[in-house]
Structures are given as structure tokens and as C-alpha cells.
Amino acid sequence: MSRRVTQRDIARMTGVSQATVSLVLNNRTGDDVRIAPETRQRVLDAIRTTGYVADPVARRLVSGRNRILGVFTYEPVFPSTAADFYHPFLVGIEQRAEQLGCDLLLFTSGAQFTSGAQSGGAGAHRKIFHADSRIGIADGTILLGRRVDRDDLVRLVGEGHAFVSVGRRDDAGGPVPYVGADYPAAVAALVQRAGELGHTRIGYLGTGGPAESHADRLRGFQPGGDRLHLPLSGPLSGQLSGWLDAIGRERLTAVFLEEHADAVALVVAARARGWSVPGDLSVVALGEPAGTGPLDEEITRLRIPRREMGWQAVDQLTAAIESGGAGNAGVDAAVQRLLPCTIHAGATLVSRR
């Protein structure tokens, strides 16, 4: 096997110094860099002919960056189907990183387990900072997951790491840079739409927190008066009969649910009881389906701009790195963006008149 081509080889082939090869590789230009166009082209031709690949470690020593973006996931996100909840986020991240000439590094060594827990199962959680943490390999990191470890956020902000969260996050000793979905505005619009359709008593079935995405949905719902928060504790599947009783007792004509899967379960249970959905009860999901199911197109729901959130997270992270460097971009570039959601009309929110 032939040995790896080096910058020294390229310099010897083209009759220039190794420093000139380095300047061409790093696309250095400006008044302080004087390289004749024909010399630059000769070096580029040699790089292309030999298939030279830059040593990322050496490049980082010179420039402080290696154009590697980390992706840290707080839960398993590899999709089993194209409709998996996380798939659009990952598509947006990958497509934008490719356009910008960046590589992606998925961090997987942060899992910690309580006694008896299995990988990815109950009792397992992931943390960025641990004895073998490799976060420093990347120029910056994108955080992905419904729930992000609070201690990780505090340290990321406090130490000035370059990172962006996909999803809004509360302050953690300082503002957290994020690209999130504007759930309050979207839920408020759905509530208004329900009111215009004649629904005067509306329920919100969900936890309302502590996850920021759930708290934001409840904030948009604005419970009070004829808008009731039905606080959910534990999986809905074991509580369906009781909640249907409560819905009937409270004379609710529309129910909003945080999770799409819970909306599906409620529709199925209500119809099994003999209720008409949406005739007797309108149902709205405030989230996206995690897979494919027979009711996915029927249920009225929010559409979360997942691909765009992943795309803009890459844009935001690379801009922070370029403006501040990996050493201090985290706090100084704490840009916070909320992207608008849209509505899938479906057929489960109809007029009461």
C-alpha cells in the first residue's frame, strides 16, 4: 500500500514551500498573503491529482478548527422508518452541514445507567461531560432531544462552549442558544380556530411540563375559565376510561393533547365507547406522529418545522464558531430563534354549530 501523501510531497511536486501549500489548503487570501494565481492553481491541481486529504489534527493546530460539527443526542434518534419523529431534524442537519463543507460527528459515549438499566432503556440517561468526554474534538455541538440534561447546559454556558440546542431551553446560568418551534403562537391559533368553530369548553390533556416544549404548548393554550388543563401523570393508555369520564363530566367539546400518540389513543377509545369523533368530541394533537399509523392524516395537528430547525441549527452554530471561535462562541453568540409551526387540517376539529 502506498504511503499517505503529505503537504511536503505537494510542495516538492509544485516547487513551492510547504507554507505556501498550507496557505492554499486553508484558502488564505488578503493583503498579507501574496500567492500568484498560477502558483495557487498549480498547487490545487497537484492536490486534486494526488487525492491529498488534509490531516484534521494538523489543520486544527494551525487554524483552531477542523470543520467537524458534533451532534449529541439525549435519547436514541436513529429512525426505523422514514416517518420517524427525529428523521427530519437529522435530514436538515446533514443537508446543511454538507452544503457548508462540514463533517458530522455523532457522540454516543455519554450514556450512564442506574443499577439494572439497559442501554436505551429505563434508568438510562446521557450526559455530555464524563470521564471520557470527546466534545472537544468538534468545533461545536448541536444538542438534540426532548429533554436536555440541566447540568450539561449549565457547564456548556458557563465554560463558553460553542453549541446550539434544537428546541427552546430555559436559561442555565445564562442564555442558551437554540432554534426552537413557536408552540405558544401555534397553539393559540388552534384555540382561536376552535372558538370560531363554536367550541366554548376546551380541555388540554398533558403534563404541561417540565419539558420546555410541553410548557410552551400549555402557555399557548392559556388555561382558565372554560379552558381546562387536565394534568396527565404517567402514560395515558392506562387512564383512558377515567379521562373520558372526566371529559364527559366537564362537558368538553374539544380536547388538545400534547402527544400525537395520545391523541390517537383518545380517538380510538372514544369511538369504542360509542362517541362520534369529531361529531361529539373534536381532538387536536399538538405534536407530530413518531411513525406511520392509520389515523395520522385524519387527526388535526401541529406541523413542527423539524427539517428547518435542524438546518438553521447548523447555520447558527457555524456562524457562532466563525464569529467567536470555539473557545467563547457559546455565551457570546447566544442567538435564540423560534420558527413558526403550521397546521395539518385533518378532520378531527369541526364546527359545533
Side-chain angles (χ1 to χ4, degrees), residues 118-143:
Q118 299 297 319
S119 176
H125 66 282
R126 294 179 177 179
K127 292 180 66 69
I128 291 176
F129 296 104
H130 52 89
D132 296 320
S133 177
R134 300 178 181 86
I135 187 174
I137 295 175
D139 293 336
T141 304
I142 294 171
L143 309 183

Side-chain angles (χ1 to χ4, degrees), residues 195-227:
E196 293 169 350
L197 290 170
H199 295 276
T200 57
R201 292 186 61 77
I202 306 172
Y204 178 103
L205 185 53
T207 63
E212 289 91 343
S213 61
H214 289 171
D216 287 349
R217 288 169 167 91
L218 182 60
R219 182 155 52 91
F221 182 76
Q222 296 182 341
D226 288 331
R227 298 181 192 172

Side-chain angles (χ1 to χ4, degrees), residues 154-206:
V154 170
R155 186 166 173 182
L156 286 166
V157 170
E159 295 181 0
H161 291 273
F163 76 102
V164 174
S165 168
V166 175
R168 188 190 72 78
R169 305 297 170 192
D170 294 330
D171 285 3
V176 174
Y178 61 72
V179 178
D182 192 353
Y183 293 117
V187 175
L190 277 168
V191 171
Q192 180 179 349
R193 176 60 178 157
E196 293 169 350
L197 290 170
H199 295 276
T200 57
R201 292 186 61 77
I202 306 172
Y204 178 103
L205 185 53

Side-chain angles (χ1 to χ4, degrees), residues 33-92:
V33 179
R34 294 182 175 85
I35 302 176
E38 58 272 17
T39 301
R40 185 181 294 274
Q41 189 59 52
R42 190 164 69 250
V43 172
L44 291 172
D45 289 343
I47 290 170
R48 187 162 40 251
T49 301
T50 61
Y52 170 82
V53 177
D55 183 342
V57 176
R59 174 169 284 187
R60 182 162 188 137
L61 288 172
V62 173
S63 67
R65 300 169 190 156
N66 55 25
R67 303 196 67 78
I68 294 176
L69 305 180
V71 179
F72 187 91
T73 66
Y74 280 89
E75 56 202 82
V77 298
F78 279 112
S80 56
T81 69
D84 184 272
F85 178 79
Y86 285 105
H87 182 253
F89 292 114
L90 296 170
V91 168

Side-chain angles (χ1 to χ4, degrees), residues 69-313:
L69 305 180
V71 179
F72 187 91
T73 66
Y74 280 89
E75 56 202 82
V77 298
F78 279 112
S80 56
T81 69
D84 184 272
F85 178 79
Y86 285 105
H87 182 253
F89 292 114
L90 296 170
V91 168
I93 291 171
E94 179 187 36
Q95 289 178 340
R96 189 54 176 153
E98 182 179 17
Q99 282 193 359
L100 295 175
C102 295
D103 290 313
L104 295 174
L105 175 62
L106 182 67
F107 293 112
T108 60
S109 63
Q112 299 182 2
F113 310 101
T114 57
S115 177
Q118 299 297 319
S119 176
H125 66 282
R126 294 179 177 179
K127 292 180 66 69
I128 291 176
F129 296 104
H130 52 89
D132 296 320
S133 177
R134 300 178 181 86
I135 187 174
I137 295 175
D139 293 336
T141 304
I142 294 171
L143 309 183
L144 188 60
R146 292 175 187 262
R147 293 175 178 83
V148 174
D149 185 87
R150 176 76 178 178
D151 292 337
D152 279 350
L153 285 179
V154 170
R155 186 166 173 182
L156 286 166
V157 170
E159 295 181 0
H161 291 273
F163 76 102
V164 174
S165 168
V166 175
R168 188 190 72 78
R169 305 297 170 192
D170 294 330
D171 285 3
V176 174
Y178 61 72
V179 178
D182 192 353
Y183 293 117
V187 175
L190 277 168
V191 171
Q192 180 179 349
R193 176 60 178 157
E196 293 169 350
L197 290 170
H199 295 276
T200 57
R201 292 186 61 77
I202 306 172
Y204 178 103
L205 185 53
T207 63
E212 289 91 343
S213 61
H214 289 171
D216 287 349
R217 288 169 167 91
L218 182 60
R219 182 155 52 91
F221 182 76
Q222 296 182 341
D226 288 331
R227 298 181 192 172
L228 279 64
H229 177 205
L230 310 175
L232 182 64
S233 58
L236 178 64
S237 57
Q239 309 174 48
L240 279 167
S241 179
W243 281 120
L244 286 173
D245 292 341
I247 290 167
R249 187 168 56 250
E250 296 291 346
R251 296 177 290 109
L252 302 178
T253 61
V255 176
F256 289 26
L257 296 98
E258 286 174 346
E259 300 294 341
H260 187 275
D262 288 344
V264 171
L266 187 70
V267 169
V268 172
R271 287 173 174 171
R273 185 174 282 203
W275 295 5
S276 169
V277 178
D280 298 320
L281 179 69
S282 285
V283 174
V284 177
L286 303 180
E288 297 268 22
T292 55
L295 299 180
D296 289 351
E297 293 303 311
E298 180 182 356
I299 292 179
T300 302
R301 70 175 189 272
L302 290 186
R303 286 191 184 275
I304 304 167
R306 293 174 289 175
R307 176 183 172 277
E308 185 65 19
M309 287 167 67
W311 182 289
Q312 290 203 23

Side-chain angles (χ1 to χ4, degrees), residues 331-344:
V331 175
D332 296 340
V335 178
Q336 299 177 329
R337 301 177 185 171
L338 291 178
L339 307 184
C341 299
T342 56
I343 297 173
H344 171 71

